[in-house]
Amino acid sequence: MPNHLRPILLVGAGNMGAEYAKVLKQMNQSFHVFTRSEKTALHFQELIGKQASFGNLDQILHEKHSYERAIVAVSVEHLKEVAITLMQNGVKEILLEKPGAVNSDELIELQAVAQIFNSKVFIGYNRRFYESVNKLLSYVTEDNPIRSIHFDFTELSKQIEKSKNSNEVKKNWLIANSSHVIDLAFFIAGKPKVIQSLSTNHLAWHPEAAIFTGSGMTYNDVLFSYHANWKSPGRWGIEVMTDQYKLILQPLERLFIMKHNSFHIEEVSLINHHDTEFKPGIFKQVQAFLTDKRYLVEVSEQIQTVNRVYNVILFGHKQK
């Protein structure tokens, strides 16, 4: 059976599962849905109009279809175990919601299992696929390269503290959530070659640090700086500086531009029907998984990034 006719297994029928389902339906891509609880399955059916299997994933995979490909949209703490169960049951290509696992140890375990079963695991950072990002990159040319970039990954710490996320996920919040904006900054400017970082302070739910600053240079010779203060109000943002423009993503879904000899910041209009009809970035991310995977992150790359970037930002050269 041709690949596009083979059903994909979508694991997870919560909010993100529903977002993936809307995209797969629009693409006329055959897919089956699995979730753990009957309650979630019923809610999903009401919302999307498609039945979801529920119960024990291992059992359902034994009893029902064999799948070549799967999309996993479960909570962070269950990503690793679901991906491993899928690989053990013959799934060869998996798109995992970011960040792929709770920490680098789990990612290393994932990679080891993928090698045993000859499977490919990709991690989806949907902000790479925003129309705002695509438009920003269209301004970057050989004659107008990126010279420097600044990004802010300040989090809504009071909301996170009250959220139902597990303590383990909260403790690893920089990887679990802030990595969205950090990944995007280095996707735009190139991977960091040199990085100097400082981190200090702490929160009850994040004892490691609460304030982060740093700078460095990417392999594309782009100077970068970053700042985040989880104790203070703020929001994610990226500023990209070329010889001709300052290009601003804040919020990340929208693009603003500043030109020379003016302090005026104007919004750039986007042709982004996929980002308004569906959760931003998800349509093109699924498209990439089904066709051209170059902008998806492989597990081996994620392990390197955790060790060389996220952990360096997190632990820094601590100030007492």
Side-chain angles (χ1 to χ4, degrees):
M1 188 186 290
N3 234 8
H4 70 282
L5 296 175
R6 286 177 182 269
I8 287 176
L9 180 62
L10 172 60
V11 183
N15 294 336
M16 277 309 299
E19 296 296 341
Y20 279 108
K22 289 174 197 170
V23 167
L24 291 167
K25 279 182 84 170
Q26 176 68 24
M27 289 178 170
N28 291 320
Q29 170 66 52
S30 174
F31 69 103
H32 298 151
V33 186
F34 169 82
T35 185
R36 282 181 304 172
S37 79
E38 184 179 11
K39 185 182 173 185
T40 309
L42 291 170
H43 178 68
F44 179 86
Q45 189 169 348
E46 277 177 35
L47 191 68
I48 304 295
K50 185 174 176 71
Q51 194 172 1
S53 303
F54 61 91
N56 180 287
L57 178 59
D58 208 35
Q59 192 179 338
I60 279 170
L61 287 167
H62 273 110
E63 290 170 1
K64 295 204 173 185
H65 302 262
S66 61
Y67 297 93
E68 282 278 315
R69 297 176 296 178
I71 295 172
V72 180
V74 298
S75 56
V76 175
E77 52 264 59
H78 298 298
L79 287 168
K80 182 205 78 171
E81 66 186 77
V82 168
I84 288 174
T85 300
L86 291 169
M87 288 187 277
Q88 289 169 337
N89 284 276
V91 179
K92 294 300 176 194
E93 291 187 348
I94 299 170
L95 174 62
L96 270 188
E97 257 298 288
K98 60 83 191 160
V102 173
N103 52 43
S104 58
D105 288 345
E106 287 197 356
L107 288 165
I108 289 164
E109 193 182 338
L110 257 185
Q111 187 185 26
V113 175
Q115 286 170 343
I116 291 165
F117 291 99
N118 197 25
S119 296
K120 290 266 190 191
V121 179
F122 302 94
I123 296 160
Y125 278 93
N126 60 300
R127 282 159 181 81
R128 291 183 173 203
F129 299 93
Y130 279 6
E131 187 53 40
S132 57
V133 174
N134 185 48
K135 186 70 176 178
L136 181 150
L137 293 173
S138 74
Y139 285 94
V140 179
T141 62
E142 208 172 302
D143 297 329
N144 188 47
I146 298 172
R147 300 294 188 186
S148 61
I149 188 169
H150 174 77
F151 59 95
D152 187 324
F153 57 92
T154 297
E155 296 280 357
L156 296 168
S157 57
K158 292 189 188 304
Q159 282 189 22
I160 298 157
E161 187 173 27
K162 292 174 191 165
S163 74
K164 292 176 182 173
N165 289 294
S166 69
N167 289 335
E168 184 67 15
V169 169
K170 287 177 182 176
K171 194 176 76 178
N172 288 283
W173 197 255
L174 189 136
I175 294 169
N177 204 60
S178 307
S179 65
H180 252 319
V181 69
I182 303 167
D183 171 81
L184 181 56
F186 292 128
F187 172 71
I188 291 168
K191 288 187 178 298
K193 176 167 60 175
V194 178
I195 181 167
Q196 297 173 316
S197 63
L198 292 168
S199 60
T200 186
N201 225 285
H202 67 277
L203 293 158
W205 57 269
H206 196 268
E208 205 54 63
I211 305 169
F212 313 86
T213 72
S215 62
M217 180 183 277
T218 76
Y219 282 99
N220 296 346
D221 294 331
V222 175
L223 290 176
F224 68 84
S225 64
Y226 65 84
H227 169 266
N229 185 338
W230 293 2
K231 288 198 145 183
S232 183
R235 75 179 308 167
W236 290 355
I238 296 175
E239 295 181 357
V240 174
M241 278 61 78
T242 74
D243 291 349
Q244 294 176 31
Y245 310 113
K246 175 182 275 193
L247 300 153
I248 303 161
L249 297 168
Q250 195 171 36
L252 301 180
E253 295 87 349
R254 294 162 70 187
L255 176 63
F256 299 86
I257 192 167
M258 181 191 279
K259 297 174 184 174
H260 269 301
N261 301 320
S262 170
F263 295 129
H264 179 64
I265 296 171
E266 63 180 273
E267 186 164 3
V268 178
S269 63
L270 304 172
I271 304 164
N272 63 354
H273 58 279
H274 286 145
D275 282 1
T276 49
E277 197 176 333
F278 306 101
K279 186 177 173 69
I282 294 293
F283 190 94
K284 287 191 174 174
Q285 180 175 283
V286 173
Q287 218 168 35
F289 177 58
L290 299 179
T291 55
D292 179 358
K293 298 176 176 64
R294 84 181 95 164
Y295 292 148
L296 299 172
V297 178
E298 288 201 44
V299 172
S300 55
E301 184 187 345
Q302 183 74 334
I303 293 165
Q304 283 189 344
T305 306
V306 168
N307 292 328
R308 295 179 187 175
V309 182
Y310 303 144
N311 282 347
V312 174
I313 290 172
L314 176 62
F315 299 113
H317 300 285
K318 278 284 179 56
Q319 297 302 295
K320 296 291 183 193

